[in-house]
Amino acid sequence: MRSTDFSLAPLQGRAQAMVVVERRFDTAADARRARRTRLELAAHFADSPGFLWQKSYRRSPRTLGIASYFSTRDQLDHALVTAPARLEPWLRLGGAHSTGRVLEAEPSGYTNGIWRAEDGRMGHIERFTPTSVEAARETEPPRVDAASTERPTGHGPTRPRRPTRDPHPIADARAMFVGATKYTGPAALIALTRIYYPMIARMVTMRGYVWFTTYYEFPFTLGTLAFFERRDDLLAFARMPGHRHLMQWITKDTRNGTAGYIRLHVAPETAAPLGETPDAAGSGS
């Protein structure tokens, strides 16, 4: 259900701000040599006040990155401005040659099951999150339960195909969602693959899609980080039949999942450039 209380959510769900940075190198050998520097950046973030969680990643043999989550925007900004100077090439977060993006969590999100602060039931939110057009027109978004609970027609590939072109730079992303589901066991995870992979195969072809990755937590929790160019692009994916079917499969009872959360993070209108305090940049938390 929709909530503004994420005190019972996993660490990723409690974050009020996150930063994602990456570098693309001329050769795979250059990228391999840069892994030590990425480890140094990860260690700096992990030692900074307010740090909650992070994931290092490789999007291609030549592209390395890291996504880090913090309790507040002020604490994230502090981690950026106190980074050693030798890490600055990873932290160009503004201008024509950006290497990353700072994103802030929207106050309202989705929590369910034991991760939900209000109660322990599994259930849907009543309506989809409004798009920018719906918000501007002050019209209600469609009801979630108006969507069919049947499996979408057609069959996608069993696994998403590897992209044939270089990925969009992560700096293009102005919206992302972070979420996870606690599944009931191996049988639910096996059944999940029949829904999840076709859905992802469709997502990577959608307008505004930038990149996604997954994470695992013992024993049966799977989570997703997904980045889009615009918030409305992200919301279009949320309304896609394959995604609706997955959410309904998870929440129709507690046979498949017992908890879940989703939070949206979006780019603030202005972000403090590296080396400036939030007050100097006029952004704040």
Side-chain angles (χ1 to χ4, degrees):
M1 307 297 284
R2 199 176 297 279
S3 177
T4 58
D5 184 352
F6 289 88
S7 60
L8 300 182
L11 292 175
Q12 302 90 333
R14 301 176 210 167
Q16 295 296 321
M18 61 89 63
V19 59
V20 56
V21 295
E22 68 181 28
R23 290 195 68 190
R24 187 171 185 270
F25 297 89
D26 292 334
T27 67
D30 290 339
R32 287 193 296 270
R33 286 191 289 268
R35 289 175 181 172
R36 183 182 297 274
T37 308
R38 184 179 63 171
L39 287 174
E40 185 179 354
L41 176 61
H44 168 72
F45 283 149
D47 290 339
S48 298
F51 170 83
L52 293 174
W53 181 83
Q54 68 184 354
K55 180 179 176 67
S56 296
Y57 64 85
R58 185 183 70 173
R59 294 179 65 192
S60 74
R62 294 188 294 163
T63 303
L64 304 178
I66 185 169
S68 296
Y69 290 75
F70 287 80
S71 294
T72 69
R73 172 64 192 273
D74 284 344
Q75 290 169 325
L76 186 157
D77 286 331
H78 180 268
L80 293 176
V81 300
T82 57
R86 60 185 172 275
L87 300 180
E88 187 174 351
W90 291 79
L91 298 174
R92 297 191 184 108
L93 304 183
H97 302 288
S98 296
T99 57
R101 177 74 69 179
V102 169
L103 302 169
E104 298 178 358
E106 294 187 347
S108 177
Y110 176 83
T111 57
N112 221 327
I114 63 170
W115 289 339
R116 180 182 172 200
E118 294 89 346
D119 59 46
R121 294 178 301 157
M122 297 290 284
H124 280 301
I125 57 174
E126 181 181 0
R127 294 182 180 274
F128 288 111
T129 301
T131 65
S132 61
V133 174
E134 290 164 346
R137 294 176 177 175
E138 299 184 346
T139 58
E140 283 191 318
R143 291 181 59 90
V144 173
D145 57 13
S148 171
T149 59
E150 298 297 323
R151 176 184 286 274
T153 58
H155 300 282
T158 56
R159 288 182 180 271
R161 297 185 180 92
R162 288 186 178 274
T164 58
R165 54 174 173 76
D166 288 333
H168 288 290
I170 204 70
D172 286 353
R174 298 188 64 84
M176 67 85 64
F177 73 80
V178 54
T181 298
K182 180 180 286 189
Y183 294 94
T184 53
L189 291 175
I190 292 171
L192 169 70
T193 62
R194 296 195 294 267
I195 306 172
Y196 183 80
Y197 286 126
M199 178 192 72
I200 294 299
R202 175 71 182 93
M203 181 184 75
V204 301
T205 68
M206 296 183 71
R207 184 181 67 178
Y209 166 78
V210 175
W211 175 69
F212 92 102
T213 188
T214 59
Y215 67 90
Y216 166 80
E217 293 183 348
F218 182 84
F220 301 118
T221 294
L222 288 179
T224 300
L225 316 179
F227 295 80
F228 292 81
E229 291 183 11
R230 302 181 308 146
R231 183 177 182 272
D232 281 359
D233 297 328
L234 189 162
L235 296 180
F237 163 71
R239 300 184 185 192
M240 188 180 73
H243 185 258
R244 295 199 306 262
H245 175 66
L246 174 61
M247 293 299 100
Q248 291 160 344
W249 177 80
I250 292 170
T251 61
K252 64 182 179 181
D253 49 39
T254 56
R255 179 173 54 186
N256 299 315
T258 59
Y261 81 94
I262 293 174
R263 294 205 77 176
L264 303 189
H265 290 245
V266 296
E269 292 184 359
T270 58
L274 185 64
E276 294 184 16
T277 64
D279 288 340
S283 55
S285 62

